[in-house]
Amino acid sequence: MTRGNRPAFDVEFALIRILGNSLPPRHAKDEMLQHLKFTLAHEPELEGCNKIWILNRIADRRTEELCANLIEKAGYRIVRLPFDIDEYARRFHDLSGVPIQLLSEKSLNDPASFTASTYALEWMYRHKNLYAVGVNTARNVALALGRQHAQWTLPWDGACFVTPQAWDGIRQLSRQDSAALHLVVPLARVSDPQSLLSGTFKPARLTEPQLGFRHDSEVTFDEQLRYGNRNKAELLVRLGISGPWNNWHPAAWDRPQPVPCAERGRFVQGGWVARLPAGCESGIENDEPLRWRSRFQGVALLCRQLDTRILIKHNKKGRLLCYNEAALRNVDHATVQQLSALADIELARPAPSVLDKSHCAPSANRQDYFSVAPYFHHDQSMHREQSTSAVHYLDGVRNAYAIAGTTQSGEHDRHALDRMIQGVCTTTLAGVLAPNPHYLARAALLVRTWFIDPASRMNPHMRFAQCIPNAAAAGRPWGIVEFRNLWPVLDAMTLLRRAGALSAQEFASLQHWFGEFLDDVTRHATALEDNNIAIWSDLLTASIAAFLGRHQQAATILADVPLRMSTQLLPFAVPHRELQRSRPLHYSLFLAQGLACLAWLGRSLGMDLWRYQATQHRSVALLIRFLALNRELFSDYAAEAVQFDYRIASLIQRVPADAAGFSALQSCRDETSTLPVDHFPQQPSSALADSLYRESDFGMVPFFFRFGPD
């Protein structure tokens, strides 16, 4: 129906308020719910107005249901925009494009760079912000809904409260100019909501406006603008509405928004609407810069909570983190025979322990793990007359103490650690798949010897890993790489518990050991290293945290892995830090192997890091492609060409087809697919690894594809 040339509307106004997630510290924890209760209890019916509420991706289902029940009980309509945790999980942290000096955690919290670091914080969470908050998406839903049945649509924030006096002013404003397509209604921030009920309230200060849209207005909000990122101000500028927002600019790395608008200037401005008080600290509420930054801190806190929820959903108690559960149930006979042969060799060996070394850590405690930094060398010729030798550093050149099988390697624990891991993985898998109780008993013995038995167990710390000879009596954070192979051992212990080879009490002891070890690694701040060390630290700490059920810690580590792309890789996935080292291809591959392992671990725990791609062609797959295409240009390629080809081929063949950048890798995959998988007779076939491992080793499990030392 129409009245003359004008559409017939059900009502004059559609007041559609949007309820979303509360974002402390910008809001109080339950601020949105408290505002809703106050509004439903005290806001009067508004003449000529249809009230509607949008529940906008409220992450807490209990809160969403409580809001829905309150609104339905009050007799108002609800529109739900549901929150989907799986859809959220497809968004990643991303700092690509930000100047490298702003990428460290220290810089992001540096008061001296408040503005730049705040922009960087917002940029980091932009993809997740767009989904988890999605304020402009909800506003456009409100516009589409209101335009169907009302002359004017008011897509306003959930904290807006309309008094009778304010409503009279808004109605008068809408009739002020027949050519106006937009209403510009300033906010009146109140500190005491009870003051709105007196009937005599007058706003003392008006701030940024809410907008009203006539039915024939065609503008919408830009859905690519995040909460706090000029999401409403951009439209104010396009419409020609004056205010401080005209001087707001995006970060240098953010895209500027176009400002032309056919409806520019067609607005009337006046009246007011109350904004119920924020529940944040007064110091934030009364300080514009802090209020601005607190928005992004609130988004960050929400995203951290949602990331933890993803881990909880996927990290069920007793699940496997490295091995492929389905493949373990469908292993062929040849694979079982191969594993059994390896297990038989292991049965004839003595059980390794930290007591095997001939030298002791500086602590004088033989149960403290002790190893020497591999690239530091004694130079007796420099000080022949002195009783102690000088020590110098040669990057990429290993000393005799760090080479397995040398006489000197027996002086420390690295070789025994590798033997233990190889033995546990081999005998556990053989024992489960054969099945063979003797193999399981052997695996349990190895685990007890290294982790449980008070007389022989390793003390749960890495304080003396990679000590520098004749230097400080402590190890270095880089020693974390010596423990990176513990990832599959966690699954081996889970399998042993399932098979009854380890008791519940023993398994609890193992969890206690790994908890103390993880705490020690965290204290060493290994994740702050700026090269491949940080990647392997992420893999080890995330897997141990998941094994222990420390979901929040595991989620934080895995969610931040994409940030490594910004610091580790230049455009086109160039691993610039590793290229500066003495063996650039070796260390670039070491980095790629760690990232690939992390991608598989993330995928198994609901954070599909294979799908992440930063700007300017940076992803795990594209890093591997860069190495494959340029391998002959690396200075260390010629010395070990066949071994390097094998390592690269193994990586390429195991990148999943849905990984970001896979299509660009396809030509390399085809080129290397003919490489014999049994090129090195001492290594089991790749089919064995493919059937048992999510990450197909990449050097992680010594008895599969041992690519050489780190």
Side-chain angles (χ1 to χ4, degrees):
M1 282 181 63
T2 61
R3 299 190 185 103
N5 294 324
R6 297 178 58 192
F9 296 104
D10 298 332
V11 291
E12 185 178 4
F13 289 92
L15 173 56
I16 307 177
R17 275 170 287 204
I18 299 166
L19 302 178
N21 298 296
S22 293
L23 300 172
R26 180 65 191 95
H27 309 133
K29 182 178 180 181
D30 60 348
E31 180 174 308
M32 178 270 290
L33 184 59
Q34 295 306 316
H35 286 169
L36 174 63
K37 290 179 178 179
F38 182 85
T39 300
L40 293 176
H42 299 291
E43 187 179 79
E45 291 300 319
L46 305 175
E47 184 178 353
C49 179
N50 184 15
K51 296 181 184 180
I52 302 174
W53 303 84
I54 291 181
L55 303 184
N56 180 33
R57 294 175 184 166
I58 298 176
D60 185 79
R61 186 168 297 178
R62 182 176 176 275
T63 299
E64 183 188 39
E65 288 303 318
L66 183 55
C67 290
N69 291 337
L70 290 171
I71 296 168
E72 289 175 348
K73 186 176 180 180
Y76 299 118
R77 181 180 174 186
I78 299 171
V79 175
R80 297 191 193 220
L81 302 182
F83 178 82
D84 184 341
I85 191 67
D86 295 325
E87 183 67 25
Y88 167 83
R90 298 186 182 98
R91 275 74 176 172
F92 301 98
H93 294 161
D94 187 358
L95 274 172
S96 55
V98 174
I100 199 165
Q101 64 267 24
L102 285 172
L103 296 182
S104 70
E105 182 177 350
K106 179 179 179 181
S107 296
L108 288 174
N109 293 280
D110 184 2
S113 59
F114 182 90
T115 299
S117 63
T118 300
Y119 275 130
L121 181 64
E122 189 278 327
W123 184 252
M124 170 179 166
Y125 287 93
R126 67 190 184 279
H127 304 307
K128 296 189 175 190
N129 184 345
L130 275 179
Y131 183 79
V133 182
V135 60
N136 277 358
T137 298
R139 285 170 175 161
N140 286 340
V141 169
L143 279 175
L145 180 64
R147 286 167 173 162
Q148 294 175 7
H149 72 278
Q151 184 176 358
W152 290 94
T153 301
L154 310 177
W156 288 359
D157 300 340
C160 290
F161 182 93
V162 185
T163 67
Q165 299 89 340
W167 187 242
D168 289 341
I170 293 168
R171 297 188 72 194
Q172 291 173 17
L173 182 67
S174 70
R175 298 162 184 166
Q176 185 173 310
D177 183 352
S178 61
L181 294 176
H182 307 282
L183 307 179
V184 182
V185 183
L187 281 174
R189 295 181 180 274
V190 299
S191 57
D192 180 9
Q194 296 298 323
S195 65
L196 295 170
L197 309 181
S198 65
T200 59
F201 176 84
K202 293 183 179 180
R205 183 173 65 94
L206 299 177
T207 60
E208 76 276 7
Q210 296 285 297
L211 291 175
F213 298 77
R214 206 170 73 181
H215 67 92
D216 48 349
S217 167
E218 296 181 354
V219 298
T220 57
F221 293 90
D222 187 338
E223 295 185 14
Q224 293 306 307
L225 291 175
R226 292 81 63 186
Y227 168 74
N229 184 255
R230 302 169 299 125
N231 50 281
K232 182 171 59 178
E234 183 270 346
L235 183 54
L236 296 176
V237 173
R238 276 198 284 150
L239 294 175
I241 302 168
S242 298
W245 43 84
N246 287 283
N247 298 319
W248 296 347
H249 299 287
W253 50 84
D254 205 348
R255 64 182 180 92
Q257 298 299 315
V259 296
C261 178
E263 300 177 11
R264 184 178 179 85
R266 297 185 63 182
F267 63 85
V268 287
Q269 188 167 2
W272 59 274
V273 59
R275 201 284 186 193
L276 296 175
C280 62
E281 297 178 4
S282 59
I284 293 177
E285 181 65 15
N286 298 326
D287 188 311
E288 180 62 33
L290 290 180
R291 193 163 71 237
W292 173 54
R293 187 180 180 93
S294 70
R295 292 186 177 98
F296 311 134
Q297 293 172 328
V299 171
L301 179 59
L302 172 65
C303 291
R304 292 299 187 190
Q305 294 169 342
L306 296 175
D307 294 339
T308 302
R309 186 188 300 183
I310 294 172
L311 261 289
I312 293 173
K313 177 180 177 180
H314 290 86
N315 190 33
K316 303 302 182 184
K317 186 176 181 180
R319 65 151 300 147
L320 300 182
L321 300 168
C322 175
Y323 298 130
N324 187 322
E325 189 90 59
L328 285 176
R329 296 191 292 267
N330 298 282
V331 178
D332 59 60
H333 180 66
T335 299
V336 175
Q337 283 188 315
Q338 192 175 17
L339 273 170
S340 297
L342 292 168
D344 287 336
I345 295 173
E346 178 58 38
L347 288 178
R349 297 175 175 175
S353 81
V354 291
L355 303 180
D356 295 344
K357 58 180 175 286
S358 59
H359 282 52
C360 198
S363 63
N365 187 332
R366 293 187 59 79
Q367 291 179 252
D368 285 341
Y369 181 90
F370 181 37
S371 67
V372 172
Y375 302 144
F376 286 85
H377 299 259
H378 291 276
D379 190 346
Q380 298 283 0
S381 62
M382 293 178 62
H383 299 273
R384 295 180 183 276
E385 69 281 1
Q386 297 182 12
S387 58
T388 59
S389 61
V391 174
H392 59 281
Y393 177 80
L394 294 175
D395 185 41
V397 180
R398 302 180 72 83
N399 58 46
Y401 300 94
I403 300 175
T406 63
T407 301
Q408 294 92 327
S409 67
E411 296 183 10
H412 306 102
D413 289 316
R414 174 68 187 273
H415 183 48
L417 174 65
D418 286 348
R419 278 196 52 223
M420 179 274 295
I421 294 172
Q422 176 175 333
V424 170
C425 292
T426 303
T427 53
T428 297
L429 292 175
V432 169
L433 299 174
N436 187 318
H438 298 294
Y439 297 153
L440 293 174
R442 170 66 178 188
L445 172 65
L446 295 174
V447 168
R448 293 188 190 102
T449 301
W450 195 275
F451 299 107
I452 299 177
D453 187 345
S456 63
R457 75 168 195 155
M458 169 187 157
N459 290 329
H461 63 75
M462 54 167 279
R463 296 169 202 163
F464 304 107
Q466 294 203 1
C467 289
I468 299 175
N470 297 344
R476 302 187 307 155
W478 288 35
I480 190 69
V481 298
E482 300 187 3
F483 299 95
R484 70 191 187 279
N485 295 346
L486 288 176
W487 176 25
V489 172
L490 301 173
D491 276 2
M493 294 186 300
T494 298
L495 291 169
L496 290 172
R497 176 68 191 113
R498 288 184 192 174
L502 291 173
S503 68
Q505 183 177 357
E506 288 174 325
F507 195 75
S509 296
L510 290 169
Q511 290 181 308
H512 181 74
W513 190 98
F514 276 94
E516 290 191 348
F517 183 77
L518 179 57
D519 292 340
D520 181 73
V521 171
T522 303
R523 282 192 294 270
H524 279 80
T526 56
L528 297 181
E529 298 299 313
D530 61 4
N531 59 6
N532 65 71
I533 300 300
I535 301 300
W536 293 109
S537 173
D538 285 348
L539 179 69
L540 180 63
T541 53
S543 59
I544 293 177
F547 172 73
L548 297 174
R550 296 185 184 180
H551 305 294
Q552 182 177 356
Q553 185 175 5
T556 297
I557 296 167
L558 289 173
D560 285 348
V561 169
L563 305 183
R564 303 291 190 193
M565 300 292 185
S566 300
T567 57
Q568 301 281 354
L569 304 179
L570 293 177
F572 299 97
V574 176
H576 63 108
R577 299 187 190 280
E578 308 303 339
L579 296 185
Q580 300 173 34
R581 302 191 64 181
S582 63
R583 300 176 63 198
L585 181 56
H586 168 76
Y587 285 107
S588 295
L589 272 170
F590 199 51
L591 172 70
Q593 291 160 1
L595 284 170
C597 292
L598 271 169
W600 280 114
L601 177 65
R603 172 168 283 193
S604 72
L605 291 173
M607 295 186 179
D608 194 353
L609 300 172
W610 280 116
R611 297 289 190 95
Y612 173 73
Q613 181 168 325
T615 58
Q616 299 178 305
H617 311 289
R618 287 177 286 186
S619 71
V620 180
L622 291 173
L623 168 61
I624 298 169
R625 178 178 184 266
F626 171 82
L627 300 178
L629 293 179
N630 297 282
R631 64 187 185 277
E632 295 181 9
L633 302 178
F634 288 82
S635 59
D636 54 332
Y637 175 75
E640 301 177 86
V642 175
Q643 180 70 291
F644 278 127
D645 283 344
Y646 187 85
R647 292 172 65 179
I648 293 171
S650 297
L651 274 167
I652 290 172
Q653 292 170 10
R654 288 159 181 82
V655 176
D658 59 345
F662 174 83
S663 59
L665 189 65
Q666 189 61 49
S667 60
C668 301
R669 176 184 285 258
D670 294 340
E671 177 185 337
T672 60
S673 62
T674 57
L675 186 71
V677 294
D678 57 351
H679 190 88
F680 302 100
Q682 74 272 22
Q683 296 174 333
S685 72
S686 63
L688 178 59
D690 286 340
S691 67
L692 297 176
Y693 287 89
R694 294 184 183 277
E695 36 60 82
S696 63
D697 176 62
F698 303 141
M700 283 299 302
V701 187
F703 83 91
F704 287 156
F705 302 113
R706 180 64 176 176
F707 288 134
D710 44 87

